[in-house]
Amino acid sequence: MEIYEMKILIINGSPHKGNTWRLTEEVKEQIAILDNTVKYEEVHLSKLNLPFCTGCSACFRKGHAFCPHNKYIQPIMDKIEGCDGVIFSVSCFQGAITALTKNFTDHLAFLLHRPRYFNKKALIISTTGGVSANTVTQSLANTLPGWGFNKCYQLPIVALSWNDYKPTEKHKKKAYKISKAFYMNLKSKKLHSPKIGVLIPFNLFQAMCEEYAPGTEYSTQDGVFWKKYVGMRYAPGIPLPIYKRAIGRIIYQIGRYLSSKMIITYKK
Ligand SMILES: Cc1cc2nc3c(=O)[nH]c(=O)nc-3n(C[C@H](O)[C@H](O)[C@H](O)COP(=O)(O)O)c2cc1C
């Protein structure tokens, strides 16, 4: 019998291996207590030399393959596709995610229009000197479900240190609790029903897609993408109770009503 090895991708959105990386290593140690066969792959955004998102909107209009920086982005998208879960390791800079992380997520903003990763789960780790680690983790936890992520765990920690963080016993306990919940959820392969907030973009963008179909004045990739979800209120295989289906249908109807009244134009 073939033994399944869990694959976790770690995206280091900090410009160095500092306090947040130390906490990430702690998480790996805690997961190893539960399962020492887990395979990790690391992406260090600082080593990528990813240029800033130019705001050209080619990803939205033509498809992300037309992004001028696709050669940097596509391999990471493939890695996300190929793993069971993703750990985002992001320091708190000025009460927010690092610029490296913001630049990376800007390149993937089109995923809010055309979500995928419906069976992926994330653990978002952040450390701060004093305040706002939770703002960092929450901000990514707000974004990732819009990309399709099924579940997000958060581990925000106040490190009280410049680059010399040593996890306290209390922090180790918290890291263990969250790491265990993340690992067990990955292992279970259980897929969770989306929150109502996630149904909004899914159904609105789907409802609007006809205005942007090929051959229309302002056609975009959305007009092609949503064809595979016609009649679906959320992605196939994800549990959706009847009441959420009904809410999705209402959002869809609102989207249909609004779409012809607010066409999004672009410079040709
Ligand atoms: C540019 C910069 C901005 C920072 N902003 C904050 C802040 O807004 N609030 C805070 O409490 N600590 C702040 N700190 C401290 C870091 O959040 C803290 O040292 C954190 O653990 C750094 O993680 P890292 O070593 O993984 O980069 C800042 C540090 C730097 C270098």
Side-chain angles (χ1 to χ4, degrees), residues 113-124:
H113 275 242
R114 304 195 298 274
R116 53 210 75 187
Y117 310 135
F118 296 109
N119 61 355
K120 305 299 171 202
K121 294 159 184 175
L123 168 59
I124 308 157

Side-chain angles (χ1 to χ4, degrees), residues 14-21 90-96 127-132 159 161-163:
S14 305
H16 63 165
K17 286 185 174 176
N19 289 347
T20 315
W21 192 254
V90 182
S91 350
C92 168
F93 283 3
Q94 294 199 90
T127 66
T128 178
V131 290
S132 300
S161 166
W162 302 108
N163 227 359

Side-chain angles (χ1 to χ4, degrees), residues 176-195:
Y176 179 67
K177 191 175 157 211
I178 307 288
S179 307
K180 185 178 177 187
F182 174 61
Y183 169 80
M184 296 305 280
N185 200 315
L186 288 183
K187 197 176 173 201
S188 74
K189 297 190 184 290
K190 180 180 172 193
L191 292 171
H192 305 267
S193 171
K195 294 189 175 147

